[in-house]
Amino acid sequence: MIFVASFFMGCESEQTVSKTFFAMNTVMNVSFSGTNEQLGRVEKIANDLEEKFSVTKTTSVVYGMNERGEKTNDEETIALLRTCKDLSDKTEGAFDITVYPIVKAWGFTTGEYDVPSDEKLLSLLPKVDGSLIRIENGEAFLENGAQIDLGGIAKGYCSDKIADYLRAEGVKRGVINLGGNVYALGEKKKGTPWKVGVASPDGNGLIGVIDASDQAVVTSGLYERNFVRDGVTYGHIVDPFTGKTVRGDLLSVTVVGKSGTECDAFSTALFVKGAREAAQTASKLHLSVLLLTTDGTICISQSLKNVFTPSAGYEKNKIIVIE
Amino acid sequence: MLKTRIWIAIIAVILIACVVACVIVFTKKDGGKRVEVYVENELVFSADLENVSEPYEKIIETKQGKNVLEIASGKVRIKDADCDGKDCVHMGWTGSPSAPIVCLPHRLVVKIVGKEDVDVVSE
């Protein structure tokens, strides 16, 4: 009887391995049908990327470029910088990794929050310029005191790298959650997509659930890292054009797509653009997006309409479909 | 014949065992909602969230500092902490297994375990 029971228990599921670990300044959870050895390799991918891209580790490639004016010939860094420049062009500058000096002035790097004066922001804005990232003769470097922060794209990039590794290993299904940046690998089981909840900005449950298979789901919102000063809440997304933190008409932006790298960058950029321009950009670039505005309107791309189920608190909200 | 009857009886017992095993395995009831607190990936505290008549507090000590957990019916939050930034406090209440609360400086994770309504939360 025990033998028979254990036979059926074995039939119930493949071996799912799972681990929660800290990397890139956030908590990461990876779960997939595979081996513990592969799990260890996944954690190494995240840690190695942190070593390379961290703005605070003095041995990182990015720190060397930012603080010591070093050139790098690291192919992975150069490829990601090219991608960043391309995404900056596609979003008309709303996504811009050279915004780092301003991010520092707000204290988001150290946690020593401050509200920089307009004069301080004006003095730093000339450094916010994607053309100051130079890539020539197989080397990348920064000009005129520009400094970069890959925080707006690194987790998405990391999720792609992990997903590519797992696919190459023949892993069929899994969930990668890097501090809320989600990559749903394969299907939960044959014919059943993963159910990815989209967090509600009021911290109370979900806006709804997106069915996703082999897709990244990345959400940006004001409710993430923020601080309050003199009764005003300052979110962590900086507008590269003004240097101020974004306080427009969007509460939450979710982008769904094959590339975690792009979804991560676009979710930040659309937040900067505000609802109307975000919808226009999504339409122009054929992005699949879910936007929640301050008046409670849900704007959703046609491509997501049939895979999105609003949760109980959002069923009565006005829905606009973006073509 | 006796021998045939014995064989029929043996096969019947095996078949019944299979059915019982299936029933046991496939009707495994999920436990009620619980909170689990991990420090440096080790479980340090766990409590039931289903039968909480009055909210109560629990102090979690870590090497880097202290977090004060408040436990209520079906949800939990970090009420106070002595970390820089207090991001964990600002996260507020969670009742969802897919939305843990994290205190990075203290390497502390507060997880809800129980029936999953989604597989993961994008946030």
Side-chain angles (χ1 to χ4, degrees):
Chain A
M1 186 129 147
I2 295 166
F3 168 75
V4 167
S6 55
F7 172 72
F8 276 99
M9 274 169 166
C11 278
E12 193 191 8
S13 61
E14 299 167 89
Q15 191 204 0
T16 300
V17 294
S18 165
K19 190 168 184 186
T20 301
F21 55 93
F22 291 95
M24 292 189 175
N25 235 16
T26 192
V27 67
M28 300 190 167
N29 182 275
V30 184
S31 177
F32 57 91
S33 48
T35 67
N36 283 313
E37 199 188 335
Q38 289 164 335
L39 201 50
R41 183 81 186 95
V42 163
E43 190 178 352
K44 188 171 189 311
I45 289 173
N47 285 324
D48 286 352
L49 281 178
E50 179 172 12
E51 288 297 318
K52 191 179 277 194
F53 294 149
S54 165
V55 282
T56 50
K57 283 184 195 264
T58 57
T59 48
S60 84
V61 170
V62 169
Y63 189 93
M65 292 174 74
N66 280 346
E67 309 296 340
R68 297 188 292 263
E70 286 169 2
K71 295 188 181 190
T72 181
N73 57 8
D74 179 70
E75 286 178 9
E76 184 174 36
T77 304
I78 291 174
L80 187 55
L81 289 177
R82 280 196 211 281
T83 300
C84 289
K85 278 160 106 41
D86 179 51
L87 289 167
S88 191
D89 287 341
K90 284 188 171 140
T91 59
E92 289 119 5
F95 175 72
D96 191 332
I97 61 173
T98 58
V99 78
Y100 183 48
I102 298 195
V103 167
K104 269 199 290 193
W106 282 95
F108 286 115
T109 316
T110 56
E112 286 159 25
Y113 302 124
D114 191 27
V115 182
S117 65
D118 287 351
E119 290 74 30
K120 172 102 183 172
L121 292 178
L122 275 172
S123 72
L124 293 173
L125 277 169
K127 294 187 187 186
V128 181
D129 179 351
S131 68
L132 298 177
I133 304 171
R134 303 301 303 269
I135 302 172
E136 31 192 77
N137 305 321
E139 285 184 320
F141 57 97
L142 303 169
E143 280 187 329
N144 292 357
Q147 296 190 320
I148 57 172
D149 180 359
L150 292 171
I153 198 169
K155 291 200 292 267
Y157 176 76
C158 185
S159 73
D160 282 339
K161 201 166 176 185
I162 291 172
D164 287 344
Y165 162 72
L166 291 175
R167 279 194 201 101
E169 289 281 303
V171 170
K172 293 276 184 294
R173 59 189 62 88
V175 173
I176 301 163
N177 183 358
L178 311 183
N181 267 49
V182 169
Y183 199 107
L185 182 72
E187 294 178 307
K188 184 169 181 175
K189 48 184 194 232
K190 199 160 161 58
T192 306
W194 293 103
K195 294 214 166 298
V196 181
V198 179
S200 174
D202 62 10
N204 210 5
L206 308 172
I207 298 174
V209 181
I210 292 175
D211 293 343
S213 310
D214 264 335
Q215 287 170 307
V217 182
V218 182
T219 301
S220 281
L222 258 192
Y223 55 88
E224 300 165 307
R225 268 182 305 146
N226 60 49
F227 70 95
V228 181
R229 190 60 50 89
D230 298 330
V232 180
T233 303
Y234 295 94
H236 73 290
I237 297 175
V238 168
D239 183 326
F241 304 109
T242 63
K244 306 257 171 138
T245 59
V246 174
R247 268 167 62 227
D249 57 359
L250 282 170
L251 287 178
S252 170
V253 171
T254 298
V255 185
V256 180
K258 290 285 178 207
S259 162
T261 310
E262 291 192 356
C263 288
D264 203 354
F266 283 131
S267 71
T268 306
L270 295 187
F271 211 92
V272 169
K273 281 177 173 284
R276 203 169 62 90
E277 281 192 38
Q280 285 170 353
T281 303
S283 185
K284 186 174 86 174
L285 298 177
H286 308 292
L287 304 179
S288 297
V289 306
L290 173 75
L291 313 174
L292 178 68
T293 68
T294 45
D295 69 2
T297 304
I298 294 174
C299 303
I300 186 165
S301 296
Q302 179 66 42
S303 51
L304 287 182
K305 199 164 84 73
N306 296 332
V307 296
F308 171 71
T309 311
S311 63
Y314 285 88
E315 270 160 353
K316 297 197 166 63
N317 287 44
K318 181 173 163 192
I319 294 191
I320 294 178
V321 178
I322 303 166
E323 300 297 333
Chain B
M1 310 269 207
L2 184 61
K3 202 173 172 190
T4 313
R5 283 203 188 146
I6 289 171
W7 273 113
I8 290 172
I10 289 170
I11 289 167
V13 166
I14 291 172
L15 279 175
I16 290 168
C18 291
V19 169
V20 169
C22 276
V23 167
I24 291 170
V25 168
F26 292 111
T27 61
K28 231 179 354 188
K29 206 164 173 275
D30 281 337
K33 233 193 224 179
R34 298 184 59 77
V35 58
E36 290 182 354
V37 180
Y38 293 82
V39 176
E40 308 260 2
N41 286 329
E42 276 192 39
L43 181 66
V44 301
F45 173 74
S46 151
D48 169 56
L49 289 180
E50 303 269 343
N51 304 307
V52 181
S53 46
E54 280 286 315
Y56 67 95
E57 291 178 12
K58 168 77 183 166
I59 295 175
I60 310 282
E61 304 269 3
T62 75
K63 281 192 213 131
Q64 287 80 13
K66 210 163 55 166
N67 298 78
V68 179
L69 210 62
E70 186 175 6
I71 294 151
S73 179
K75 62 184 183 181
V76 70
R77 69 168 174 159
I78 294 179
K79 188 173 178 182
D80 198 8
D82 54 15
C83 53
D84 288 338
K86 295 195 204 271
D87 287 351
C88 54
V89 177
H90 298 141
M91 282 183 198
W93 293 99
T94 181
S96 168
S98 307
I101 302 174
V102 175
C103 177
L104 278 172
H106 294 176
R107 300 305 222 214
L108 178 144
V109 180
V110 178
K111 271 192 209 175
I112 305 284
V113 291
K115 192 164 177 293
E116 292 269 22
D117 42 2
V118 292
D119 299 305
V120 63
V121 173
S122 173
E123 55 188 343

